[in-house]
Amino acid sequence: MKRVRKRSSRIQSKLIKYIWICVIPLIVLFSIAIIRLYGFYQEYDLLVRNITSANEYNMSFRESMDEMMYRIITGSANWTNAQEKLEGDDPKALIVDATHHFEELRKNSTEENVQSDLDALINLLGILDERVDDILVNVEEGGHYDENMEMLDMNIRTLTSLVQEDIQKYIYDESHNMELLRREVAASLLTTIRIMVLGLIIILIVIYFLSRRLSQRITEPITDLVTMTEKFASGDFTVSYHTDRNDEMKKLAESFNSMVKEIKILVDDIHREQEIAKDAELRLLQEQINPHFLYNTLDAIIWMTEAGENQKAIQIIQELSSFFRISLSKGESIITIKNEREHVKNYLEIQRFRYQDILDYEIDMNEDILEYHIQKLTLQPIVENAIYHGIKNKRGGGKITVEGDFQGDDIIFRVRDNGIGMKEEELTKFRDYISGKIELDNSDKNKSGSGFGMANVEKRIEMMYGPDYGVTVESKYNEGTIVTVLIPKT
């Protein structure tokens, strides 16, 4: 019995020895892999946090600064009262906060291109702070309204625009650094796999005389992990590796699953940021409204009031209020066709007050399309173009007709006017301009109308719905113009 126990002990010792010969190299390899992956994770985490924090300023800094300064200049925010001037409207504090934030990013950055971006951004914030001081001094002195508004337009808004551009450049460079880090992770992962496979081969040679069961327990989980890694390397981010073993393989599985999860989150974040950038561009295009319409309408209201036509002034104010209520739409970029129709009607009613001797209109839309949705400011720029470059350029009165109906699985709108129209050469250039193929020079713009609003509409429709939808124009000189808009039913 003693000999049996002694023999069993030797076998056990050998098995333990072989196991340790196998386990120790594996532990070393796994530890190196985990340490490297954790280092990459920290770098990724820092990049993501930097981009996220900078993106918050990218989305809000320019709008907040411009609005604060406008409110201070116009007096809606009390700057001269020491008890109230810092309650909610303090541009100096906003600049200081942004400067401190980007200085911290500068301290933690090691890339020269990112440091250069942040240096330029911090310098711009310093210049912006000086320009803000100039306006605030004028406000505290009193008066200077026109000078302050000019400084707001020429200095503050220009500088905030440049600050936003520098923030976007910083985000772009950090995203580029993230891509370089991703490539480094991929290369490191491949090297780690090769080393682990080589180590596995050596271990299998050393433990060749061990039992098949022990061999299988060592090789099977590693083979499974290699399979998962290959699937992950091929682009499958849904893979995960689980084991019931309570050893280093479990730790490696958790690290692998964590790495897959983190990389998937990072990829999703990049896609989401691309969608946000596209949505931001779309919203920017929607907000490019000609301010002269508002100025002219307010002038007309003043003229009616001075002439004693108070009822007409009240009516045009109501139409203007409804027009801008729909234009703003609580920040929504998509509205119902019913609201778009009301928006066009408000606009035409206001214009008919101004051009009552030469302008008539008719809106004829199928009632069944009204609950479908459309991009805000789709039809109004086309109607505006028809008035200013069709009806006004024709002697005598003119009429605009706005139609809407189904066309198969789509919705079609037509804006007709019996204005001056365009010659064939002008029409060709105009079509090329709104489609983005060419830029019109000043003489061409004066002949056919700038078409900026219509080009804006065409670009927004193509961005949202694709190249199969958009704007087409037909026109005959001295007969009029027909603009067709095609969108899907949504």
Side-chain angles (χ1 to χ4, degrees):
M1 291 296 294
K2 291 182 180 179
R3 290 182 64 186
V4 172
R5 286 197 296 269
K6 186 175 181 181
R7 187 184 297 268
S8 175
S9 176
R10 290 175 182 175
I11 294 174
Q12 184 178 15
S13 299
K14 282 188 176 183
L15 287 175
I16 293 174
K17 178 181 179 180
Y18 289 137
I19 290 173
W20 277 109
I21 291 173
C22 300
V23 169
I24 290 176
L26 284 175
I27 292 176
V28 172
L29 289 175
F30 296 158
S31 299
I32 293 174
I34 293 171
I35 291 171
R36 296 194 67 182
L37 290 174
Y38 182 72
F40 286 129
Y41 164 74
Q42 287 184 316
E43 292 185 47
Y44 261 116
D45 182 66
L46 179 61
L47 285 171
V48 170
R49 285 189 283 108
N50 288 349
I51 291 173
T52 301
S53 62
N55 197 51
E56 293 177 358
Y57 281 94
N58 181 41
M59 298 297 292
S60 63
F61 181 84
R62 177 183 179 184
E63 180 180 354
S64 299
M65 178 59 64
D66 292 350
E67 182 180 1
M68 282 185 190
M69 295 306 299
Y70 177 80
R71 285 166 53 83
I72 290 172
I73 292 173
T74 58
S76 59
N78 193 338
W79 179 260
T80 58
N81 189 320
Q83 300 297 325
E84 300 177 3
K85 71 177 183 179
L86 297 181
E87 295 183 3
D89 291 287
D90 189 358
K92 298 283 290 181
L94 181 60
I95 294 173
V96 169
D97 182 72
T99 302
H100 288 166
H101 178 80
F102 289 111
E103 285 177 347
E104 285 298 318
L105 293 182
R106 175 65 174 80
K107 292 178 182 178
N108 297 328
S109 175
T110 59
E111 300 295 333
E112 291 184 1
N113 59 338
V114 173
Q115 291 176 346
S116 177
D117 294 341
L118 292 172
D119 287 339
L121 180 56
I122 293 169
N123 288 338
L124 272 178
L125 289 171
I127 297 173
L128 178 61
D129 185 61
E130 294 175 1
R131 300 291 82 79
V132 167
D133 281 337
D134 293 340
I135 294 179
L136 295 180
V137 169
N138 286 348
V139 170
E140 291 174 353
E141 290 178 359
H144 302 287
Y145 178 82
D146 291 338
E147 179 184 354
N148 288 340
M149 290 301 293
E150 182 179 0
M151 292 172 67
L152 174 63
D153 289 333
M154 300 302 293
N155 294 337
I156 303 302
R157 287 175 176 159
T158 299
L159 288 170
T160 55
S161 177
L162 291 174
V163 167
Q164 187 177 45
E165 290 177 3
D166 277 5
I167 294 175
Q168 291 171 349
K169 187 174 186 304
Y170 164 74
I171 293 173
Y172 171 82
D173 286 340
E174 285 284 50
S175 300
H176 178 69
N177 292 336
M178 183 182 293
E179 172 61 15
L180 295 179
L181 183 59
R182 185 197 66 79
R183 295 177 184 176
E184 186 179 355
V185 170
S188 177
L189 184 62
L190 184 59
T191 301
T192 302
I193 293 173
R194 289 173 177 171
I195 294 174
M196 291 175 65
V197 171
L198 180 60
L200 177 60
I201 294 173
I202 296 174
I203 292 171
L204 287 175
I205 295 174
V206 173
I207 63 172
Y208 177 80
F209 294 103
L210 291 177
S211 69
R212 184 179 297 272
R213 179 177 176 82
L214 181 59
S215 176
Q216 289 176 344
R217 284 184 59 83
I218 294 175
T219 59
E220 283 183 352
I222 298 178
T223 303
D224 292 340
L225 182 59
V226 170
T227 301
M228 293 296 104
T229 305
E230 289 174 348
K231 290 182 179 180
F232 171 65
S234 66
D236 184 2
F237 292 101
T238 62
V239 298
S240 61
Y241 179 62
H242 301 281
T243 179
D244 56 357
R245 296 176 58 168
N246 190 23
D247 55 19
E248 289 75 19
M249 286 303 303
K250 184 176 182 179
K251 294 180 180 180
L252 182 60
E254 292 173 350
S255 298
F256 174 79
N257 294 335
S258 176
M259 179 193 67
V260 172
K261 182 179 178 181
E262 292 296 332
I263 293 179
K264 183 178 184 301
I265 291 173
L266 291 173
V267 172
D268 290 342
D269 286 344
I270 292 173
H271 291 166
R272 192 177 300 110
E273 288 170 4
Q274 291 173 344
E275 290 299 322
I276 291 172
K278 179 179 177 181
D279 183 62
E281 182 180 0
L282 184 62
R283 289 179 179 272
L284 180 62
L285 288 170
Q286 287 179 326
E287 299 305 324
Q288 293 174 341
I289 305 172
N290 186 354
H292 295 293
F293 166 70
L294 175 62
Y295 302 153
N296 293 336
T297 304
L298 294 176
D299 287 340
I301 293 172
I302 293 172
W303 177 83
M304 290 177 185
T305 304
E306 291 177 347
E309 299 180 357
N310 295 333
Q311 192 60 37
K312 287 185 177 180
I314 292 173
Q315 186 175 352
I316 196 172
I317 290 172
Q318 290 173 340
E319 298 288 350
L320 185 64
S321 174
S322 178
F323 175 85
F324 278 102
R325 176 181 58 81
I326 298 175
S327 293
L328 296 174
S329 301
K330 298 180 180 180
E332 297 293 335
S333 60
I334 303 297
I335 61 176
T336 63
I337 294 176
K338 181 178 180 180
N339 282 341
E340 182 72 4
R341 182 183 69 172
E342 182 68 17
H343 191 242
V344 171
K345 177 180 175 295
N346 294 144
Y347 178 78
L348 286 168
E349 280 295 324
I350 293 170
Q351 295 291 39
R352 190 159 65 172
F353 275 109
R354 297 178 56 208
Y355 304 110
Q356 52 186 316
D357 295 333
I358 66 170
L359 177 63
D360 192 14
Y361 75 89
E362 178 183 354
I363 300 178
D364 181 16
M365 291 189 183
N366 186 338
E367 294 291 323
D368 293 334
I369 74 172
L370 297 183
E371 296 307 317
Y372 287 90
H373 288 78
I374 188 173
Q375 292 185 72
K376 182 174 63 179
L377 298 174
T378 294
L379 299 179
Q380 182 270 331
I382 299 173
V383 172
E384 179 180 1
N385 197 76
I387 293 175
Y388 285 103
H389 307 295
I391 303 300
K392 284 184 65 177
N393 293 333
K394 175 186 176 182
R395 293 185 177 181
K399 182 176 181 180
I400 295 175
T401 303
V402 182
E403 302 170 349
D405 206 344
F406 292 112
Q407 180 174 283
D409 291 331
D410 301 322
I411 296 177
I412 190 169
F413 299 95
R414 291 185 178 89
V415 179
R416 307 173 186 267
D417 71 75
N418 58 354
I420 192 65
M422 287 179 278
K423 297 178 181 178
E424 190 64 29
E425 181 181 355
E426 296 172 347
L427 178 61
T428 300
K429 288 185 177 181
F430 188 70
R431 286 171 174 167
D432 289 342
Y433 171 63
I434 65 173
S435 65
K437 295 179 180 179
I438 64 171
E439 288 288 337
L440 298 181
D441 57 29
N442 291 332
S443 60
D444 288 326
K445 290 179 182 179
N446 292 332
K447 290 178 182 178
S448 60
S450 70
F452 172 77
M454 291 176 60
N456 188 316
V457 172
E458 167 68 17
K459 185 174 181 181
R460 288 191 286 118
I461 291 176
E462 184 175 348
M463 285 177 61
M464 177 162 284
Y465 304 122
D468 294 335
Y469 300 93
V471 178
T472 56
V473 183
E474 299 291 337
S475 184
K476 290 186 179 180
Y477 189 64
N478 281 330
E479 294 186 17
T481 302
I482 302 175
V483 179
T484 303
V485 179
L486 185 67
I487 64 172
K489 290 192 294 188
T490 55

